[in-house]
Amino acid sequence: MIRRFPRRDRGFWFGLAIEVLAPLLAAATRWRIEGGQHLPRRGGVLVASNHLSFADPIAVTLFTLAAGRVPRFFAKAELWDTPVVKRVMTSGGHIPVHRGRASALDAYRDGVASVRAGECVVVFPEGGFTERPDGWPSRGKTGLARMALTTGTPVVPLACWGTQELLPVGSRLPRVRRRPVLHLVAGPPVDLSDLVCERPTASQLREATERIMAAVTELLSHIRGQDPPAETEKA
């Protein structure tokens, strides 16, 4: 998997972080990856993933790299306050999100510019870790849908499972004794063609968001071998 990672457009520091972390993660965990063919090899694309752990960005990065794409993430602006992390985030072309409505608008515009420039942009539409103790996705926020509908960019759903065992929320150190299985599955782009427009309404944004979250939840159901609770469908 590591040999197939693209090296162009990673930036020096982001690329160095990948070269350091990828072998460590490969040694400490077991991987099951499906659906990489659904990620287009070129052109703007949005990847929508559920969010369980601080390990998710690393796992999703390796998934997208294995599929031939270099990911760009939205991330809290505070990460740019730490010198080493700042170099990684800046060289990787990631998008800082500051607190406040005006700053969120700036992040949205940066995301739109990235997909229009042909980048692969990863979004955790829940806006944070799932609020559900059973691990199923929470209600999605509409920012991702707005980017997708106003630009016509395809949205590829991605389900991630196992990262919560590797690095549970609140834990400072990964748990690698039992080599947890990291399972990532992508599906075909979500059909939003009937909703694409320059100025989507609130109802169109909510409908698009529900379709995206339903696709992610269905993939997670495949991984877990369980049907999600009924309330997650409109959570």
Side-chain angles (χ1 to χ4, degrees):
M1 180 175 68
I2 296 175
R3 293 180 180 177
R4 293 183 287 155
F5 285 179
R7 294 181 177 274
R8 294 184 58 185
D9 302 321
R10 298 194 311 190
F12 175 78
W13 288 101
F14 184 45
L16 180 61
I18 291 168
E19 295 299 326
V20 171
L21 292 175
L24 294 176
L25 198 61
T29 61
R30 293 167 289 168
W31 283 76
R32 294 179 183 174
I33 290 179
E34 301 176 48
Q37 73 275 13
H38 295 301
L39 199 63
R41 295 299 295 266
R42 56 181 58 85
V45 61
L46 291 159
V47 177
S49 174
N50 62 316
H51 201 6
L52 298 163
S53 163
F54 284 117
D56 292 340
I58 301 172
V60 174
T61 292
L62 299 187
F63 177 89
T64 57
L65 288 170
R69 297 300 301 263
V70 177
R72 315 298 183 196
F73 288 86
F74 288 93
K76 293 180 180 180
E78 289 81 359
L79 292 175
W80 276 258
D81 294 336
T82 305
V84 175
V85 177
K86 177 181 179 179
R87 291 182 179 183
V88 173
M89 302 304 288
T90 301
S91 74
H94 304 301
I95 303 167
V97 180
H98 298 266
R99 295 181 180 181
R101 184 174 180 180
S103 296
L105 181 58
D106 288 340
Y108 165 79
R109 289 171 176 166
D110 289 343
V112 167
S114 291
V115 294
R116 284 181 170 162
E119 301 279 10
C120 170
V121 177
V122 178
V123 181
F124 297 108
E126 296 163 273
F129 301 129
T130 179
E131 298 173 355
R132 298 179 58 93
D134 57 11
W136 293 102
S138 304
R139 183 181 178 88
K141 300 185 184 302
T142 59
L144 168 61
R146 187 179 296 277
M147 282 194 292
L149 298 188
T150 57
T151 64
T153 303
V155 178
V156 174
L158 175 66
C160 182
W161 188 250
T163 52
Q164 78 282 1
E165 296 181 7
L166 173 66
L167 188 62
V169 175
S171 176
R172 294 185 177 182
L173 296 174
R175 299 177 180 178
V176 298
R177 177 175 295 182
R178 297 183 179 180
R179 293 192 70 207
V181 177
L182 304 189
H183 200 155
L184 290 92
V185 179
V190 181
D191 185 5
L192 304 174
S193 57
D194 59 315
L195 301 174
V196 172
C197 62
E198 185 176 347
R199 295 183 178 180
T201 65
S203 61
Q204 288 174 315
L205 291 172
R206 178 45 54 191
E207 172 64 23
T209 301
E210 290 179 354
R211 292 185 195 179
I212 293 167
M213 296 309 298
V216 173
T217 301
E218 183 178 356
L219 293 169
L220 187 57
S221 178
H222 167 71
I223 293 174
R224 297 178 63 172
Q226 302 172 350
D227 292 329
E231 63 267 24
T232 62
E233 296 178 6
K234 293 293 182 179

